[in-house]
Amino acid sequence: MEILVINAGSSSLKYQLMDPETGYVFAKGLCERIGIDGRLTHKVPQRDLKVEREIPMPTHSEAIAAVLDVLQDAEVGVVRSVDEIDAVGHRVVHGGVKFAASCVIDEACKQAIRDCIPLGPLHNPANLMGIEACEKIMPNKPQVAVFDTAFHMTMPPKAYRYAIPEEYYEKDHLRRYGFHGTSHRYIAKRVEALTGRKDLKVINCHLGNGSSLCAIQNGKSVDTSMGLAPLCGVPMGTRVGDVDTTVAQFIADNYGKTIDEVLTILNKKSGVFALSGGVSSDFRDLEAGANEGNEKCRLALEKFAYEVKKYIGSYAAALGGLDVLVFTAGIGENDAATRASICEGMEWLGIKLDPEKNKLRGKERVISAADSKVQVWVIPTDEELMIAQDTAELAKR
Ligand code: AMP
């Protein structure tokens, strides 16, 4: 089977054509500047091939048309016709309380995604544009929606309820939803496959530009660090993470900002970027800065590792123990120094890294010492594969 995986943002659209069984990637790429002018970057990994094209993309429809064109291109394409694509899988950020699993896209599914717009105002409209553009251009192709929130629907009320007046929960569904669910689910499955056990207490640290931790018991999410939106939890590239809400009120009152402006500050100008004094949101730059003696970069790195460490401690308490700790995503897979600072002093919990094994980037491997009670793994995540597998499975029915 060949599944086209689409991740549509407001002005960008990522795509990947892959085999859901083997994970083989035929081609992948990115459309950028949709609604502005339009640029397509297309890669064929097996041929080490990369092309860039300027293509007008006033809307997501032209972007999808450009993707289908390049996939069929005589020189850089990988299919002879669109008929070779069996189905399309879409990443959808917010599934609200309606989606505990992926679903075939029909009118009811689209309406439910639309109903979740108040909960995911930044992402769901763009996801819908991607879906509708595909429907327009490939009307008979099965399409599936895979939600970032779905994996966390197994959380118990004590984890997902906020201690706010009941009406906001009952009427408006304000609660913890959690994100990166497709990544956390992939890791839960990999841990099961790698250890041969389902009955484990696992903490997955998805640490990238956006970061979240997930407590997993018997393969199911029981708690996670992001909430109603992907803003809370550990500090991120530019997102603040957990913060006293009074900070928002103070900034609004004292700087004459609207709530939207304050949220933009907390989403786009905070996190390690802010702590570093505006040096960077990228850990490679922060580490270079810290190595050159920049104290703000050092603090940003220290604060990040400290907050991740605190979440690991609290999730070990929530799980009543810990068998496996996993690092994944850009920082988790590549940044040995950050993994080491997070795990430093965690021997009391049974976490002991092997410094040699930890010298590793982007490979699936155990990095804990032989006598570590908790197995620590680096597992590169693969959200696209999960989306492709769900899509193949649902499209077959
Ligand atoms: P992601 O959002 O998962 O793509 O992660 C992107 C982030 O991973 C970047 O902003 C960097 O902070 C981090 N990252 C990627 N490669 C490295 C590396 N080699 N060392 C440290 N951090 C890295």
PDB file of all heavy atoms in Angstrom, residues 206-210 281-284 287 329-331 334-335 361, ligand 1:
ATOM      1  N   HIS A 206       8.959  13.361  25.175  1.00  0.00           N
ATOM      2  CA  HIS A 206       8.994  13.865  23.793  1.00  0.00           C
ATOM      3  C   HIS A 206       9.531  15.290  23.892  1.00  0.00           C
ATOM      4  O   HIS A 206       8.801  16.223  24.265  1.00  0.00           O
ATOM      5  CB  HIS A 206       7.581  13.835  23.187  1.00  0.00           C
ATOM      6  CG  HIS A 206       7.515  14.403  21.800  1.00  0.00           C
ATOM      7  ND1 HIS A 206       7.248  13.651  20.690  1.00  0.00           N
ATOM      8  CD2 HIS A 206       7.699  15.666  21.341  1.00  0.00           C
ATOM      9  CE1 HIS A 206       7.261  14.415  19.607  1.00  0.00           C
ATOM     10  NE2 HIS A 206       7.545  15.651  19.984  1.00  0.00           N
ATOM     11  N   LEU A 207      10.817  15.458  23.614  1.00  0.00           N
ATOM     12  CA  LEU A 207      11.467  16.754  23.812  1.00  0.00           C
ATOM     13  C   LEU A 207      11.922  17.285  22.457  1.00  0.00           C
ATOM     14  O   LEU A 207      12.891  16.780  21.874  1.00  0.00           O
ATOM     15  CB  LEU A 207      12.669  16.610  24.766  1.00  0.00           C
ATOM     16  CG  LEU A 207      12.394  15.877  26.092  1.00  0.00           C
ATOM     17  CD1 LEU A 207      13.678  15.776  26.922  1.00  0.00           C
ATOM     18  CD2 LEU A 207      11.298  16.566  26.893  1.00  0.00           C
ATOM     19  N   GLY A 208      11.200  18.280  21.967  1.00  0.00           N
ATOM     20  CA  GLY A 208      11.559  18.891  20.681  1.00  0.00           C
ATOM     21  C   GLY A 208      11.328  20.380  20.787  1.00  0.00           C
ATOM     22  O   GLY A 208      11.426  20.942  21.884  1.00  0.00           O
ATOM     23  N   ASN A 209      10.981  21.002  19.694  1.00  0.00           N
ATOM     24  CA  ASN A 209      10.653  22.419  19.770  1.00  0.00           C
ATOM     25  C   ASN A 209       9.438  22.599  20.690  1.00  0.00           C
ATOM     26  O   ASN A 209       9.390  23.500  21.507  1.00  0.00           O
ATOM     27  CB  ASN A 209      10.392  22.932  18.359  1.00  0.00           C
ATOM     28  CG  ASN A 209      10.558  24.408  18.321  1.00  0.00           C
ATOM     29  OD1 ASN A 209      11.269  25.005  19.147  1.00  0.00           O
ATOM     30  ND2 ASN A 209       9.872  25.040  17.402  1.00  0.00           N
ATOM     31  N   GLY A 210       8.473  21.699  20.540  1.00  0.00           N
ATOM     32  CA  GLY A 210       7.411  21.544  21.540  1.00  0.00           C
ATOM     33  C   GLY A 210       7.733  20.297  22.336  1.00  0.00           C
ATOM     34  O   GLY A 210       8.208  19.325  21.755  1.00  0.00           O
ATOM     35  N   SER A 281      15.971  29.494  20.354  1.00  0.00           N
ATOM     36  CA  SER A 281      15.107  28.447  20.910  1.00  0.00           C
ATOM     37  C   SER A 281      15.710  27.078  20.605  1.00  0.00           C
ATOM     38  O   SER A 281      15.169  26.053  20.996  1.00  0.00           O
ATOM     39  CB  SER A 281      13.712  28.547  20.293  1.00  0.00           C
ATOM     40  OG  SER A 281      13.802  28.385  18.890  1.00  0.00           O
ATOM     41  N   ASP A 282      16.817  27.072  19.875  1.00  0.00           N
ATOM     42  CA  ASP A 282      17.433  25.807  19.444  1.00  0.00           C
ATOM     43  C   ASP A 282      18.520  25.384  20.438  1.00  0.00           C
ATOM     44  O   ASP A 282      19.421  26.165  20.742  1.00  0.00           O
ATOM     45  CB  ASP A 282      18.034  25.998  18.045  1.00  0.00           C
ATOM     46  CG  ASP A 282      18.454  24.674  17.422  1.00  0.00           C
ATOM     47  OD1 ASP A 282      19.191  23.909  18.082  1.00  0.00           O
ATOM     48  OD2 ASP A 282      18.042  24.405  16.287  1.00  0.00           O
ATOM     49  N   PHE A 283      18.412  24.148  20.917  1.00  0.00           N
ATOM     50  CA  PHE A 283      19.338  23.693  21.955  1.00  0.00           C
ATOM     51  C   PHE A 283      20.795  23.671  21.498  1.00  0.00           C
ATOM     52  O   PHE A 283      21.697  23.782  22.307  1.00  0.00           O
ATOM     53  CB  PHE A 283      18.897  22.320  22.494  1.00  0.00           C
ATOM     54  CG  PHE A 283      17.862  22.444  23.574  1.00  0.00           C
ATOM     55  CD1 PHE A 283      16.700  23.180  23.348  1.00  0.00           C
ATOM     56  CD2 PHE A 283      18.043  21.859  24.820  1.00  0.00           C
ATOM     57  CE1 PHE A 283      15.744  23.331  24.351  1.00  0.00           C
ATOM     58  CE2 PHE A 283      17.095  22.011  25.837  1.00  0.00           C
ATOM     59  CZ  PHE A 283      15.939  22.744  25.588  1.00  0.00           C
ATOM     60  N   ARG A 284      21.004  23.517  20.178  1.00  0.00           N
ATOM     61  CA  ARG A 284      22.396  23.545  19.686  1.00  0.00           C
ATOM     62  C   ARG A 284      23.008  24.915  19.927  1.00  0.00           C
ATOM     63  O   ARG A 284      24.155  25.030  20.372  1.00  0.00           O
ATOM     64  CB  ARG A 284      22.448  23.192  18.200  1.00  0.00           C
ATOM     65  CG  ARG A 284      22.173  21.708  17.967  1.00  0.00           C
ATOM     66  CD  ARG A 284      21.817  21.429  16.541  1.00  0.00           C
ATOM     67  NE  ARG A 284      20.459  21.914  16.237  1.00  0.00           N
ATOM     68  CZ  ARG A 284      19.719  21.503  15.216  1.00  0.00           C
ATOM     69  NH1 ARG A 284      20.213  20.628  14.377  1.00  0.00           N
ATOM     70  NH2 ARG A 284      18.515  21.968  15.011  1.00  0.00           N
ATOM     71  N   GLU A 287      23.567  25.438  23.735  1.00  0.00           N
ATOM     72  CA  GLU A 287      24.759  24.740  24.230  1.00  0.00           C
ATOM     73  C   GLU A 287      26.030  25.453  23.782  1.00  0.00           C
ATOM     74  O   GLU A 287      26.973  25.599  24.567  1.00  0.00           O
ATOM     75  CB  GLU A 287      24.749  23.276  23.769  1.00  0.00           C
ATOM     76  CG  GLU A 287      23.966  22.428  24.766  1.00  0.00           C
ATOM     77  CD  GLU A 287      23.304  21.199  24.170  1.00  0.00           C
ATOM     78  OE1 GLU A 287      23.754  20.713  23.113  1.00  0.00           O
ATOM     79  OE2 GLU A 287      22.317  20.730  24.772  1.00  0.00           O
ATOM     80  N   ALA A 329      12.147  12.650  19.990  1.00  0.00           N
ATOM     81  CA  ALA A 329      12.035  13.953  19.291  1.00  0.00           C
ATOM     82  C   ALA A 329      13.400  14.655  19.257  1.00  0.00           C
ATOM     83  O   ALA A 329      14.383  14.130  19.785  1.00  0.00           O
ATOM     84  CB  ALA A 329      10.950  14.812  19.901  1.00  0.00           C
ATOM     85  N   GLY A 330      13.434  15.837  18.608  1.00  0.00           N
ATOM     86  CA  GLY A 330      14.697  16.511  18.273  1.00  0.00           C
ATOM     87  C   GLY A 330      15.728  16.550  19.390  1.00  0.00           C
ATOM     88  O   GLY A 330      16.886  16.157  19.198  1.00  0.00           O
ATOM     89  N   ILE A 331      15.328  17.002  20.573  1.00  0.00           N
ATOM     90  CA  ILE A 331      16.268  17.086  21.692  1.00  0.00           C
ATOM     91  C   ILE A 331      16.481  15.696  22.301  1.00  0.00           C
ATOM     92  O   ILE A 331      17.617  15.274  22.535  1.00  0.00           O
ATOM     93  CB  ILE A 331      15.731  18.067  22.767  1.00  0.00           C
ATOM     94  CG1 ILE A 331      15.540  19.458  22.162  1.00  0.00           C
ATOM     95  CG2 ILE A 331      16.639  18.109  23.982  1.00  0.00           C
ATOM     96  CD1 ILE A 331      14.633  20.374  22.974  1.00  0.00           C
ATOM     97  N   ASN A 334      18.717  13.532  20.060  1.00  0.00           N
ATOM     98  CA  ASN A 334      20.043  14.017  19.631  1.00  0.00           C
ATOM     99  C   ASN A 334      20.919  14.636  20.699  1.00  0.00           C
ATOM    100  O   ASN A 334      22.119  14.786  20.486  1.00  0.00           O
ATOM    101  CB  ASN A 334      19.849  15.080  18.531  1.00  0.00           C
ATOM    102  CG  ASN A 334      19.196  14.490  17.309  1.00  0.00           C
ATOM    103  OD1 ASN A 334      19.704  13.531  16.733  1.00  0.00           O
ATOM    104  ND2 ASN A 334      18.064  15.027  16.920  1.00  0.00           N
ATOM    105  N   ASP A 335      20.335  15.053  21.799  1.00  0.00           N
ATOM    106  CA  ASP A 335      21.086  15.888  22.725  1.00  0.00           C
ATOM    107  C   ASP A 335      21.529  15.104  23.971  1.00  0.00           C
ATOM    108  O   ASP A 335      20.823  15.055  24.989  1.00  0.00           O
ATOM    109  CB  ASP A 335      20.199  17.074  23.114  1.00  0.00           C
ATOM    110  CG  ASP A 335      20.976  18.133  23.864  1.00  0.00           C
ATOM    111  OD1 ASP A 335      22.076  17.838  24.355  1.00  0.00           O
ATOM    112  OD2 ASP A 335      20.460  19.255  23.963  1.00  0.00           O
ATOM    113  N   ARG A 361      23.209   9.591  18.765  1.00  0.00           N
ATOM    114  CA  ARG A 361      22.262  10.508  18.127  1.00  0.00           C
ATOM    115  C   ARG A 361      21.345   9.757  17.184  1.00  0.00           C
ATOM    116  O   ARG A 361      21.822   9.050  16.303  1.00  0.00           O
ATOM    117  CB  ARG A 361      23.015  11.577  17.340  1.00  0.00           C
ATOM    118  CG  ARG A 361      23.494  12.715  18.205  1.00  0.00           C
ATOM    119  CD  ARG A 361      24.101  13.810  17.370  1.00  0.00           C
ATOM    120  NE  ARG A 361      23.187  14.243  16.321  1.00  0.00           N
ATOM    121  CZ  ARG A 361      23.540  15.047  15.327  1.00  0.00           C
ATOM    122  NH1 ARG A 361      24.776  15.496  15.249  1.00  0.00           N
ATOM    123  NH2 ARG A 361      22.676  15.408  14.427  1.00  0.00           N
TER     124      ARG A 361
HETATM  125  P1  AMP B   1      11.573  18.695  16.809  1.00  0.00           P
HETATM  126  O1  AMP B   1      10.539  19.726  17.165  1.00  0.00           O
HETATM  127  O2  AMP B   1      11.306  17.348  17.391  1.00  0.00           O
HETATM  128  O3  AMP B   1      11.893  18.665  15.344  1.00  0.00           O
HETATM  129  O4  AMP B   1      12.932  19.191  17.524  1.00  0.00           O
HETATM  130  C1  AMP B   1      13.625  20.328  17.087  1.00  0.00           C
HETATM  131  C2  AMP B   1      14.616  20.769  18.156  1.00  0.00           C
HETATM  132  O5  AMP B   1      15.519  19.697  18.475  1.00  0.00           O
HETATM  133  C3  AMP B   1      15.537  21.898  17.715  1.00  0.00           C
HETATM  134  O6  AMP B   1      14.950  23.158  17.890  1.00  0.00           O
HETATM  135  C4  AMP B   1      16.714  21.715  18.645  1.00  0.00           C
HETATM  136  O7  AMP B   1      16.477  22.409  19.858  1.00  0.00           O
HETATM  137  C5  AMP B   1      16.742  20.227  18.936  1.00  0.00           C
HETATM  138  N1  AMP B   1      17.852  19.533  18.280  1.00  0.00           N
HETATM  139  C6  AMP B   1      17.888  18.993  17.043  1.00  0.00           C
HETATM  140  N2  AMP B   1      19.104  18.427  16.791  1.00  0.00           N
HETATM  141  C7  AMP B   1      19.856  18.629  17.899  1.00  0.00           C
HETATM  142  C8  AMP B   1      21.194  18.288  18.286  1.00  0.00           C
HETATM  143  N3  AMP B   1      22.006  17.633  17.468  1.00  0.00           N
HETATM  144  N4  AMP B   1      21.605  18.667  19.516  1.00  0.00           N
HETATM  145  C9  AMP B   1      20.779  19.341  20.343  1.00  0.00           C
HETATM  146  N5  AMP B   1      19.514  19.668  20.048  1.00  0.00           N
HETATM  147  C10 AMP B   1      19.050  19.319  18.855  1.00  0.00           C
END
